[in-house]
Amino acid sequence: MKSCWMVLLLASATFAADKPNVVLLYADDLGYGDVSCYGSKTIATPHIDKLAAEGLRFTDGHCAAATCTPSRFAMLTGQYAFRQKGTGVLPGDAQLIIPPGRATLASVFKGAGYQTGVVGKWHLGLGDGALDWNGAIQPGPLEIGFDHCFIMAATGDRVPCVFVKDHQIVGLDPADPIQVSYKQPFPGEPTGKANPELLRMHPSHGHDMAVLNGISRIGYMKGGKAALWKDEDMADTFTAQAVKFIEASKDKPFFLYFAAHDPHVPRVPHPRFVGKSGMGPRGDVILQFDDSVGTLLATLDRLGLKNNTLVLLSSDNGPVVDDGYQDEAVQKLGAHKPAGPLRGGKYSAFEGGTRVPFIVRWPSRVKPGVSSALVCQVDFPASFAALTAQPAPAAAVDSQNILPALLGEDLNGRTELVEQGGPVSLRQGNWKFIPANAGVARNKGTNSETGNAAVPQLYDLSKDLGESQNLAKTQPDQAQSMAAALEKAHLGAGK
Ligand code: NG6
Ligand code: CA
């Protein structure tokens, strides 16, 4: 009898170890140099640093694109976004761009019996084109593999400024229905352009439409007053929802996609972080993200889940300083380098566009350390399918099983990676190639480098991480062979 119990106990222990919980802590616009464990001396992120010290810190980890929507599309579907039309940065009233029934990172976990949840920024569209925000908001996350969702539709700077839980707006008063438009203002409703006196944070470019909570946004909305979010409480709200999800799921394996809003614009820290970074709101909301990470890690500790939970921390694209609001980010930056040693940032084909903080912690399986393997978020569907002993989804055509690299057992990772900045570029080992193109070298509003140039660019990142010496002329064979490889990898790009 006793041995029978032993067998059962052993079997369930093996089962648990085979199926770790997976928590994806995902920041929005957090750069390679924005966390102290990546070398920054100008900001302190103790919780993220602790995670890195207990886990594996990747120095060449990438998101799949240098802006949010294509990056998240690729991470969830396992397909580069440039292969599908309509995957650029979406307005807040866009329809869902991942069709129901298509395999996603979430459905992979669901297929393995996990409880799956997403909390935070969505930005992949909702509905099928004729959405009534006052009715059932679907299809959305629940139709593509998540059991639970608590999200904002798009971004903090885009209407509607409300949260959606499962299929409903949270706290909506039916007597005050909500209307959303990206075409024209609603008569009688203030806008940032017409009513700057109502603003506590002014735009620097764009962002001059609906005014909510003293901040003008992109797009127009009306009504839904009781449901409007308060920007300063958003991080705490998301964190509390994530804690709730973990608590409710603790007895099953679970997958949590915690999609924080920080440090995206508008940067409105909770009062307890105001002034704490010395860098103005951008620095303060990085501290706020670190605090959310701390709370979620403490929750895993408290529930005894630490050892068998794989925590993955990363960001959806590189950093940007002025992203459309006069929030002192430029003036108070000082010596801080949001992209660290990398060139470029959000919107850029340089490494700063897609090379982001990327940390894996799984105490019972992954040895702490540092890995220089080339890894990308587009690989999550295939890699987590492998982790849960399932085949990779057929439509995840760009997703490679890099699980051994994520676990620190393979120190190389990918041999090749397409980076979707403005122009697409190619990595092969430490070589980086950006094809010639006609785009502007600097974005007008953000004043950031795009990586565009009229001539092809070739960099040897092993000697020149900051992409300052273009070798395309002195190494024409390398440039040409990478141009051909990129052309091949880029086949099937959506127009
Ligand atoms: C840009 C916005 C920027 C930000 C970005 C999306 C303007 C002038 N700029 O169009 O503020 O919202 O879109 O960021 O509107 S992302 O991280 O979601 O991709
Ligand atoms: Ca982003």
Side-chain angles (χ1 to χ4, degrees):
M1 194 61 196
K2 199 173 164 199
S3 67
C4 214
W5 279 112
M6 286 293 283
V7 170
L8 266 177
L9 265 175
L10 271 173
S12 67
T14 317
F15 178 76
D18 281 342
K19 290 194 173 173
N21 308 306
V22 175
V23 174
L24 174 55
L25 303 174
Y26 208 58
D28 192 357
D29 299 0
L30 185 74
Y32 196 86
D34 277 329
V35 285
S36 30
C37 55
Y38 277 80
S40 175
K41 302 268 183 281
T42 40
I43 194 154
T45 49
H47 299 293
I48 299 172
D49 291 7
K50 179 164 184 272
L51 185 77
E54 294 175 350
L56 193 57
R57 184 173 65 83
F58 288 84
T59 55
D60 204 357
H62 291 254
C63 50
T67 51
C68 167
T69 302
S71 179
R72 290 167 201 242
F73 174 87
M75 179 173 77
L76 290 188
T77 64
Q79 183 194 46
Y80 289 135
F82 57 74
R83 299 198 199 289
Q84 181 174 311
K85 268 204 284 190
T87 51
V89 173
L90 293 176
D93 64 347
Q95 70 184 79
L96 181 65
I97 57 170
I98 303 174
R102 179 165 181 174
T104 63
L105 179 59
S107 71
V108 163
F109 282 112
K110 208 170 148 99
Y114 280 57
Q115 277 291 305
T116 55
V118 53
V119 174
K121 176 181 179 179
W122 182 240
H123 213 185
L124 294 163
L126 292 168
D128 55 8
L131 184 65
D132 175 6
W133 290 97
N134 304 288
I137 297 169
Q138 59 181 357
L142 302 198
E143 284 66 39
I144 57 168
F146 289 99
D147 296 312
H148 302 278
C149 82
F150 186 100
I151 54 171
M152 70 164 118
T155 61
D157 56 344
R158 283 175 176 75
V159 302
C161 298
V162 295
F163 299 125
V164 174
K165 181 175 189 299
D166 298 336
H167 289 145
Q168 305 288 335
I169 289 181
V170 178
L172 185 68
D173 175 0
D176 180 26
I178 180 172
Q179 287 172 270
V180 176
S181 170
Y182 274 74
K183 293 202 179 77
Q184 68 262 325
F186 293 98
E189 293 295 310
T191 65
K193 199 170 178 185
N195 307 91
E197 75 283 359
L198 296 179
L199 303 181
R200 58 177 167 140
M201 189 188 274
H202 291 260
S204 60
H205 54 278
H207 304 100
D208 60 357
M209 298 169 231
V211 179
L212 297 136
N213 199 16
I215 301 165
S216 48
R217 323 267 168 163
I218 308 171
Y220 304 100
M221 70 173 283
K222 186 182 172 163
K225 290 266 180 310
L228 296 176
W229 69 49
K230 269 185 82 189
D231 302 82
E232 35 280 88
D233 294 336
M234 185 181 285
D236 286 343
T237 303
F238 286 155
T239 305
Q241 288 292 328
V243 168
K244 220 168 114 182
F245 173 80
I246 295 173
E247 285 171 349
S249 313
K250 69 179 180 12
D251 297 325
K252 289 189 180 175
F254 62 84
F255 166 58
L256 168 65
Y257 169 28
F258 176 73
H261 175 247
D262 295 322
H264 196 279
V265 296
R267 300 160 182 144
V268 190
H270 186 272
R272 70 186 188 278
F273 300 106
V274 171
K276 290 287 164 9
S277 69
M279 270 188 263
R282 182 171 189 279
D284 296 348
V285 296
I286 292 175
L287 302 186
Q288 182 167 269
F289 175 66
D290 187 61
D291 181 73
S292 298
V293 169
T295 302
L296 294 175
L297 296 181
T299 304
L300 296 176
D301 291 351
R302 168 167 61 84
L303 298 174
L305 300 172
K306 176 175 177 176
N307 282 344
N308 200 35
T309 299
L310 189 160
V311 177
L312 211 161
L313 182 140
S314 199
S315 175
D316 72 334
N317 52 251
V320 57
V321 182
D322 176 354
D323 207 15
Y325 290 96
Q326 300 176 39
D327 60 5
E328 302 185 292
V330 176
Q331 295 83 341
K332 293 198 167 164
L333 194 61
H336 183 66
K337 290 200 161 53
L342 309 176
R343 188 171 178 185
K346 185 175 183 178
Y347 311 112
S348 176
F350 291 126
E351 286 294 285
T354 62
R355 198 190 288 211
V356 286
F358 197 119
I359 300 164
V360 173
R361 186 192 78 174
W362 182 10
S364 69
R365 181 78 188 265
V366 173
K367 272 221 272 283
V370 178
S371 171
S372 60
L374 179 61
V375 293
C376 181
Q377 295 163 11
V378 73
D379 299 322
F380 290 173
S383 304
F384 287 112
L387 178 75
T388 51
Q390 303 174 88
V397 290
D398 298 305
S399 195
Q400 298 182 4
N401 174 10
I402 54 154
L403 185 64
L406 295 179
L407 301 182
E409 291 156 6
D410 161 31
L411 298 178
N412 298 310
R414 283 177 158 259
T415 53
E416 184 172 292
L417 175 70
V418 180
E419 298 176 10
Q420 183 176 356
V424 286
S425 59
L426 186 73
R427 282 284 307 279
Q428 282 179 342
N430 269 312
W431 288 106
K432 166 82 173 269
F433 175 76
I434 310 175
N437 65 83
V440 292
R442 266 185 194 274
N443 274 330
K444 210 162 147 239
T446 57
N447 189 32
S448 55
E449 289 195 295
T450 57
N452 292 317
V455 294
Q457 298 171 74
L458 177 71
Y459 300 103
D460 179 357
L461 303 177
S462 69
K463 301 192 185 89
D464 178 25
L465 186 57
E467 296 170 276
S468 63
Q469 299 222 23
N470 185 359
L471 304 177
K473 276 210 177 114
T474 51
Q475 307 246 25
D477 293 349
Q478 182 66 26
Q480 259 160 38
S481 94
M482 288 184 76
L486 179 58
E487 182 93 6
K488 199 166 150 225
H490 195 233
L491 283 180
K495 290 284 175 292

